[in-house]
Amino acid sequence: MRSINSRFVSPKLLQKVLEERLNSRVDAMVETGLVQELLDFHRRYNEQRIKSNTSADYTTGIFQSIGFKEFHAYLVLPEEERREKKGKELLEKGITDLKQVTRRYSKKQEKWVMNRIIRRSDRQVPPVYVLDCTDISKWNNCVYEPAVTIIETILRGEKPEQKPINESVENQKFNDSSNEEKHFCDICERVFIGDYQWDIHMTSTKHMRALKRKKRLEQQKEVEENR
């Protein structure tokens, strides 16, 4: 069952409620120690980096994940500067940026659910029912009780009065990446689904660098064999 939104509630209200909850979630994460956790991780990372005599690389891995890169400018400040005006401003900016990317990510999740589940017509997707959870004070009436009714009706082998959202959906999709051809790049040793992703990879800077590196190694090997 899906309680993200409801056809009985205006889209503007739904978006407003969702954004408020996402912002509150970020605030709760900060209040329960998110920043200190990031500081501790950043400190351990640099301690290990110094021991292994390697340079800092903040362009890959966890440093590019949501919830970390937004605070990068704050984390790299000396401890005393983090307590000053500049540090406080960067911390607030990090929190604001985290809220923004969290809201953006929720839209991507919503789109993924619609395209991969709700609009699917080429595979067996179970009925998906919409429940209104915009007002938590009405949880029992709007979510819990309707959900129990739907489940009990289905268990009796009957059809619920409420129609599933994917019963008469517009803009149905008849295929997705699971049906597309797989391509394997011998150079990068990676699998790509569909021609679109494959074409992008084949012209990407990363692939071209790997291709040049492989050709250079082959040329060096050929020179050594001919000596």
Side-chain angles (χ1 to χ4, degrees):
M1 270 177 238
R2 182 167 175 259
S3 56
I4 298 174
N5 61 36
S6 168
R7 67 184 68 181
F8 306 112
V9 182
S10 69
K12 288 185 178 180
L13 175 59
L14 287 172
Q15 190 62 36
K16 181 175 182 295
V17 172
L18 178 59
E19 290 183 357
E20 289 176 351
R21 290 180 182 174
L22 292 172
N23 289 340
S24 296
R25 180 185 177 187
V26 172
D27 289 334
M29 292 168 61
V30 173
E31 290 175 3
T32 54
L34 170 65
V35 178
Q36 187 58 51
E37 183 179 342
L38 294 176
L39 286 169
D40 291 342
F41 179 88
H42 190 261
R43 174 181 53 78
R44 292 195 301 270
Y45 165 77
N46 281 295
E47 288 177 351
Q48 183 61 37
R49 177 181 64 79
I50 293 173
K51 288 181 181 179
S52 58
N53 195 29
T54 56
S55 58
D57 184 5
Y58 298 110
T59 62
T60 59
I62 191 173
F63 297 107
Q64 289 299 301
S65 65
I66 294 177
F68 203 110
K69 62 181 179 181
E70 290 75 25
F71 294 93
H72 173 73
Y74 173 77
L75 296 174
V76 297
L77 283 179
E79 184 175 354
E80 59 274 11
E81 290 188 31
R82 289 200 294 267
R83 292 192 290 265
E84 298 174 354
K85 181 180 178 181
K86 180 180 179 180
K88 293 178 180 179
E89 290 177 347
L90 288 176
L91 177 59
E92 286 301 318
K93 184 179 184 304
I95 295 173
T96 299
D97 290 345
L98 179 55
K99 289 179 178 179
Q100 183 179 26
V101 296
T102 300
R103 294 194 299 269
R104 188 183 305 137
Y105 185 63
S106 74
K107 291 181 180 179
K108 291 180 63 176
Q109 289 179 316
E110 181 86 7
K111 184 178 180 180
W112 188 93
V113 170
M114 289 298 297
N115 290 336
R116 296 297 299 273
I117 299 178
I118 307 301
R119 291 176 178 160
R120 300 308 321 160
S121 60
D122 60 336
R123 55 189 179 190
Q124 295 181 335
V125 177
V128 180
Y129 295 89
V130 171
L131 302 175
D132 179 9
C133 65
T134 53
D135 189 344
I136 301 300
S137 66
K138 299 179 181 179
W139 181 267
N140 284 342
N141 291 333
C142 295
V143 180
Y144 178 74
E145 292 176 3
V148 171
T149 299
I150 292 172
I151 293 173
E152 289 179 342
T153 303
I154 293 175
L155 290 176
R156 290 196 302 268
E158 301 173 2
K159 190 173 182 178
E161 291 185 8
Q162 180 175 333
K163 292 184 179 181
I165 189 176
N166 54 336
E167 185 176 277
S168 57
V169 66
E170 298 179 357
N171 301 321
Q172 289 189 342
K173 296 175 71 69
F174 298 94
N175 57 70
D176 65 3
S177 59
S178 63
N179 302 324
E180 295 182 358
E181 182 181 358
K182 294 182 179 180
H183 301 275
F184 180 74
C185 178
D186 295 323
I187 305 300
C188 304
E189 297 184 347
R190 292 180 58 191
V191 176
F192 297 88
I193 307 299
D195 294 336
Y196 178 71
Q197 293 296 332
W198 175 249
D199 291 340
I200 291 178
H201 172 70
M202 293 301 290
T203 57
S204 67
T205 302
K206 185 175 181 180
H207 173 75
M208 299 306 294
R209 283 202 302 261
L211 182 61
K212 289 181 180 179
R213 183 166 57 250
K214 183 177 181 179
K215 288 182 177 180
R216 185 170 60 252
L217 292 175
E218 290 177 348
Q219 290 174 351
Q220 292 176 352
K221 183 178 180 181
E222 184 177 351
V223 170
E224 292 177 355
E225 290 177 350
N226 293 330
R227 285 179 179 176

